[in-house]
């Protein structure tokens, strides 16, 4: 593969084995939202929420490993999720799905940018626009210019830094403070965190699993990694990633337990301040800040690169053939527009991480059965996946004023599942109908 070709920008240099496949997937899925959502999850749902957050993310990755294996063996030679949709759907279904993918892709990129903005606002005294300018410039250089090859060069460093931080800091602080002292401090000041009979947390975990899995099964960058990991290794790569990933939120939760043991706090975000205040070492503070930005940058650059790939390969190329020079020119222009919009959004909006995590939960949950239908169904049928996801999305949003948010996510999921199930039943009946059986027997009889 030529280094100057656009395919090299999409897929990098080589096919990945298990080890580097795990690193690449971890770099995509350890995000800023994982860090920023942990304080809110801990405070609202206690220890069960913190452990459940880890469980639902890890299990979603493990489950996706089984889907990834089917994708890898069925759609050999493809590069993006857009390639698969083009192969399986008619033009109406293709563009419907592509619009949803771009909406979700921009939303995922927006989440990471807002996470970076929030961290900059919390950690540093200088004006937000200075930090955002530096962050978005690096994002453009890595994800916009560098491509997957450059992202993979930095992925190993990012993952080492992340795991080094979440292992080093808790061990240091627990040895310094003492486990018993920390436990007694939590029991005295925040006994509600130890309350385990919390039905709402179970509702949060089950719904979160749906949202996580919906995110993964529609994630542009994750599909690209499915196509560059060796077929026989792809399932194991995702399973191992899921088992490793679930240690991250638990470690971050333990960090925040350290921060609030023996003291109160103003709001969930102040837990990051509290955590930094107990790090009595400039080196540890520096490592923690690097950890936060490594997580945000690796996830955001992967998303920008995948959106660029989808835009050039599956949108622009549908209307006119492009030379290599034109592909890079269009890609750079698209990146600059995206980054400009993100810069303005980060300056004027201040959403909360858990709201961001679940804001598009209806869309994610309604897409699960649609994508599964496309991947596992042998025929090229547009109506079942398109109609089921559309009804699921609309049903979820219509029901949201009359239900809790978690209930509306489940309504979206169930509506799309019921419709897909009805299509499968209808198809099965048609295949076993007398007319269909007779038409299959005619060639045999003729012989």
């Amino acid at each position: 593969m030529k280094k100057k070709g656009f395919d090299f920008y999409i897929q990098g240099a080589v096919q990945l084995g298990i080890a580097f496949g795990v690193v690449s997937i971890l770099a995509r899925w350890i995000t800023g939202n994982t860090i920023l959502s942990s304080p809110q999850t801990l405070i609202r749902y206690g220890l069960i929420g913190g452990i459940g957050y880890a469980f639902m993310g890890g299990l979603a990755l493990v489950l996706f490993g089984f889907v990834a294996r089917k994708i890898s063996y069925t759609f050999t030679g493809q590069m993006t999720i857009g390639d698969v949709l083009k192969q399986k759907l008619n033009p109406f279904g293709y563009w419907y799905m592509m619009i949803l993918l771009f909406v979700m892709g921009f939303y995922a990129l927006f989440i990471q940018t807002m996470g970076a903005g929030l961290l900059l606002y919390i950690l540093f005294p200088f004006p937000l626009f200075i930090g955002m300018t530096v962050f978005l410039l690096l994002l453009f250089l890595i994800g916009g210019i560098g491509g997957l090859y450059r992202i993979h060069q930095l992925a190993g460093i990012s993952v080492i830094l992340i795991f080094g931080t979440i292992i080093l800091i808790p061990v240091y602080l627990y040895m310094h403070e003492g486990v018993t002292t920390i436990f007694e401090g939590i029991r005295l000041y925040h006994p509600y965190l130890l309350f385990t009979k919390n039905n709402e947390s179970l509702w949060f975990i089950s719904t979160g699993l749906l949202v996580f899995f919906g995110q993964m099964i529609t994630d542009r960058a994750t599909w690209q990694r499915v196509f560059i990991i060796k077929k026989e290794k792809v399932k194991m790569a995702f399973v191992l990633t899921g088992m490793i990933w679930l240690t991250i939120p638990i470690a971050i939760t333990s960090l925040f337990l350290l921060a609030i043991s023996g003291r109160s706090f103003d709001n969930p975000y102040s837990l990051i301040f509290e955590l930094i205040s107990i790090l009595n070492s400039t080196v540890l503070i520096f490592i923690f800040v690097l950890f936060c930005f490594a997580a945000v940058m690796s996830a955001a650059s992967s998303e920008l690169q995948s959106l660029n790939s989808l835009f050039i390969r599956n949108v622009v190329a549908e209307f006119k053939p492009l030379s290599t020079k034109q592909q890079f020119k269009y890609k750079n222009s698209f990146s600059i527009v995206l980054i400009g919009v993100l810069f303005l959004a980060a300056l004027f909006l201040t959403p909360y991480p858990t709201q961001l995590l679940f804001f598009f939960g209806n869309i994610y949950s309604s897409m699960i059965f649609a994508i599964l239908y496309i991947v596992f169904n042998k025929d090229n049928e547009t109506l079942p996946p398109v109609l089921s996801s559309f009804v699921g999305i609309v049903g979820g949003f219509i029901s949201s004023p009359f239900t809790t948010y978690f209930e509306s996510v489940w309504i979206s999921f169930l509506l799309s599942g019921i419709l897909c199930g009805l299509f499968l039943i209808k198809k099965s009946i048609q295949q076993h109908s007398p007319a269909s059986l007779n038409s299959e027997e005619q060639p045999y009889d003729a012989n």
Side-chain angles (χ1 to χ4, degrees):
M1 190 178 295
K2 293 181 180 178
K3 280 194 173 183
K4 293 183 179 178
F6 197 73
D7 289 354
F8 184 80
Y9 174 84
I10 298 175
Q11 292 202 308
V14 295
Q15 274 206 313
L16 306 181
I18 288 181
F20 207 81
V22 169
V23 171
S24 180
I25 301 165
L26 279 174
R28 166 65 189 93
W29 282 105
I30 301 173
T31 68
N33 211 40
T34 311
I35 302 167
L36 292 169
S37 296
S38 293
Q40 277 194 304
T41 304
L42 175 66
I43 298 306
R44 185 163 185 176
Y45 302 106
L47 275 177
I48 296 296
I51 296 170
Y53 189 95
F55 171 77
M56 62 195 192
L59 181 58
L61 277 165
V62 171
L63 292 175
F64 184 73
F66 294 90
V67 182
R69 185 178 186 278
K70 177 68 177 177
I71 294 169
S72 184
Y73 276 93
T74 305
F75 304 101
T76 303
Q78 307 293 15
M79 292 186 180
T80 67
I81 184 174
D83 293 347
V84 173
L85 296 178
K86 186 179 177 183
Q87 179 180 327
K88 295 285 288 188
L89 302 177
N90 68 21
F92 172 76
Y94 174 72
W95 288 113
Y96 167 81
M97 288 288 185
M98 289 297 290
I99 290 170
L100 286 181
L101 287 178
F102 273 98
V103 170
M104 290 186 285
F106 182 76
Y107 169 69
L109 195 55
F110 172 71
I111 289 176
Q112 299 310 315
T113 305
M114 293 305 301
L118 200 57
L119 284 168
L120 288 166
Y121 179 75
I122 292 172
L123 295 173
F124 298 108
F126 48 71
L128 179 61
F129 76 91
I130 295 176
M132 285 308 303
T133 302
V134 174
F135 172 78
L136 291 174
L137 180 61
L138 289 173
L139 176 61
F140 177 70
L141 292 175
I142 298 171
I145 300 293
L148 198 61
Y149 177 71
R150 192 68 64 200
I151 291 170
H152 279 164
Q153 282 185 323
L154 298 173
I157 299 171
S158 176
V159 170
I160 290 171
L161 181 61
I162 289 167
F163 277 93
T165 304
I166 64 169
I167 293 171
L168 176 66
I169 293 180
V171 169
Y172 170 81
L173 291 177
Y174 275 105
M175 288 178 66
H176 189 263
E177 300 289 335
V179 176
T180 305
T181 305
I182 292 167
F183 176 75
E184 293 298 335
I186 292 290
R187 193 166 63 173
L188 179 63
Y189 283 87
H190 310 283
Y192 54 93
L193 297 183
L194 304 175
F195 187 63
T196 55
K197 191 177 180 181
N198 187 342
N199 293 332
E200 191 182 3
S201 64
L202 297 177
W203 195 221
F204 163 76
I205 293 168
S206 58
T207 309
L209 177 60
L210 276 188
V211 176
F212 261 110
F213 189 67
Q215 280 182 304
M216 285 171 196
I217 206 168
T218 55
D219 185 63
R220 291 67 43 199
T222 304
W223 276 68
Q224 281 183 232
R225 280 148 184 78
V226 170
F227 292 125
I228 61 173
I229 297 173
K230 293 176 182 174
K231 289 179 184 178
E232 62 275 17
K233 312 286 186 185
V234 68
K235 185 179 79 174
M236 186 54 66
F238 276 92
V239 171
L240 288 177
T241 304
M243 295 171 71
I244 296 170
W245 190 92
L246 64 83
T247 63
I248 306 288
I250 293 175
I252 296 173
T253 298
S254 75
L255 278 174
F256 289 121
L257 285 176
L258 285 162
I260 60 174
S261 62
R263 60 176 71 83
S264 60
F265 59 91
D266 295 328
N267 62 63
Y269 298 124
S270 71
L271 296 189
I272 297 179
F273 277 126
E274 300 291 340
L275 178 59
I276 290 175
S277 71
I278 64 171
L279 298 176
N280 297 317
S281 164
T282 306
V283 174
L284 290 181
I285 294 173
F286 181 68
I287 290 173
F288 178 74
V289 172
L290 278 182
F291 152 70
C292 294
F293 282 99
V296 173
M297 184 58 73
S298 62
S301 56
S302 293
E303 188 59 58
L304 179 61
Q305 187 268 347
S306 64
L307 279 178
N308 279 335
S309 305
L310 208 63
F311 179 69
I312 299 303
R313 185 174 171 84
N314 301 114
V315 176
V316 180
E318 290 296 312
F319 296 99
K320 65 176 184 178
L322 298 174
S323 65
T324 301
K325 186 178 178 181
Q326 287 174 318
Q327 287 176 322
F328 280 102
K329 179 183 173 184
Y330 277 71
K331 180 261 297 177
N332 290 338
S333 301
F334 185 64
S335 295
I336 291 170
V337 170
L338 275 181
I339 284 176
V341 174
L342 291 170
F343 182 74
L344 294 175
L347 290 184
F348 295 108
L349 300 177
T350 55
Y352 296 97
T354 49
Q355 290 176 343
L356 290 174
L357 178 66
F358 288 105
F359 182 73
F360 271 0
N362 290 329
I363 297 180
Y364 290 133
S365 60
S366 66
M367 291 291 285
I368 292 174
F369 282 110
I371 297 294
L372 290 177
Y373 195 97
I374 290 170
V375 171
F376 286 95
N377 187 43
K378 293 180 181 177
D379 300 326
N380 295 352
E381 295 179 89
T382 296
L383 186 60
V386 169
L387 186 61
S388 66
S389 67
F390 180 76
V391 170
I393 292 168
V394 173
F397 280 110
I398 289 176
S399 66
S400 58
F402 314 103
T403 61
T404 66
Y405 181 80
F406 291 162
E407 288 170 345
S408 70
V409 169
W410 277 95
I411 288 172
S412 295
F413 175 73
L414 292 174
L415 279 176
S416 63
I418 290 169
L419 274 177
C420 277
L422 290 175
F423 276 112
L424 287 173
I425 292 170
K426 178 187 172 188
K427 187 176 178 180
S428 178
I429 292 173
Q430 287 176 337
Q431 285 176 343
H432 292 86
S433 65
S436 176
L437 292 174
N438 289 336
S439 64
E440 290 178 0
E441 289 172 357
Q442 280 177 0
Y444 178 79
D445 293 340
N447 292 332

